[in-house]
């Protein structure tokens, strides 16, 4: 199942959090701190937008994978995982987007 890749990736990201920055791209990104991770997410989001505007579906999938990956790095930085996001999506399932947003604004 494709969800398994998210679990394996989350495990790998956790192991890289305290690894030497010389050992991997992710370890280096963690060592640079949250601002570096956020910058990568911004760059990848822009690339997703450009890929979509360009109309190349293969490129859009590639760039979306990069964006998701970097979002997972950010989640790992905060000791969260894809499961936390999937749980939130499950909670929202069947709710009107308008009603869900109103509930969040009340909190």
């Amino acid at each position: 199942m494709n969800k398994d890749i998210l679990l394996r990736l989350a495990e790998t990201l956790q192991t890289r959090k305290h690894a030497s920055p010389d050992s991997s791209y992710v370890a280096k990104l963690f060592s640079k701190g949250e601002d570096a991770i956020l910058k990568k997410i911004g760059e990848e989001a822009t690339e997703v937008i450009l890929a979509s505007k360009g109309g190349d579906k293969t490129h859009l999938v590639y760039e979306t994978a990069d964006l998701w990956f970097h979002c997972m790095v950010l989640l790992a930085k905060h000791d969260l995982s894809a499961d936390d996001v999937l749980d939130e999506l499950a909670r929202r399932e069947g709710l009107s987007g308008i009603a869900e947003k109103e509930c969040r604004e009340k909190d």
Side-chain angles (χ1 to χ4, degrees):
M1 179 178 190
N2 282 338
K3 183 182 174 193
D4 293 341
I5 188 62
L6 296 176
L7 298 175
R8 290 192 308 272
L9 178 56
E11 290 171 4
T12 299
L13 293 175
Q14 285 299 322
T15 65
R16 304 273 167 83
K17 282 175 73 172
H18 303 291
S20 167
D22 297 331
S23 66
S24 76
Y25 168 77
V26 171
K28 184 180 288 187
L29 199 52
F30 279 131
S31 75
K32 290 181 178 180
E34 186 173 31
D35 284 349
I37 298 167
L38 294 172
K39 181 179 177 186
K40 282 303 297 180
I41 290 172
E43 290 171 4
E44 298 302 342
T46 299
E47 290 174 6
V48 166
I49 292 166
L50 294 173
S52 179
K53 296 293 279 180
D56 182 339
K57 291 180 181 182
T58 301
H59 191 219
L60 177 57
V61 168
Y62 178 88
E63 295 300 346
T64 300
D66 283 350
L67 176 60
W68 286 14
F69 174 83
H70 287 90
C71 287
M72 287 190 65
V73 172
L74 180 65
L75 289 170
K77 166 98 172 83
H78 291 282
D79 295 321
L80 296 166
S81 72
D83 276 340
D84 296 297
V85 176
L86 293 172
D87 288 345
E88 176 59 17
L89 290 172
R91 184 191 70 78
R92 294 179 187 187
E93 186 175 20
L95 291 176
S96 154
I98 294 169
E100 194 281 328
K101 185 174 180 181
E102 286 175 357
C103 287
R104 281 188 288 143
E105 289 174 351
K106 289 178 185 176
D107 291 338

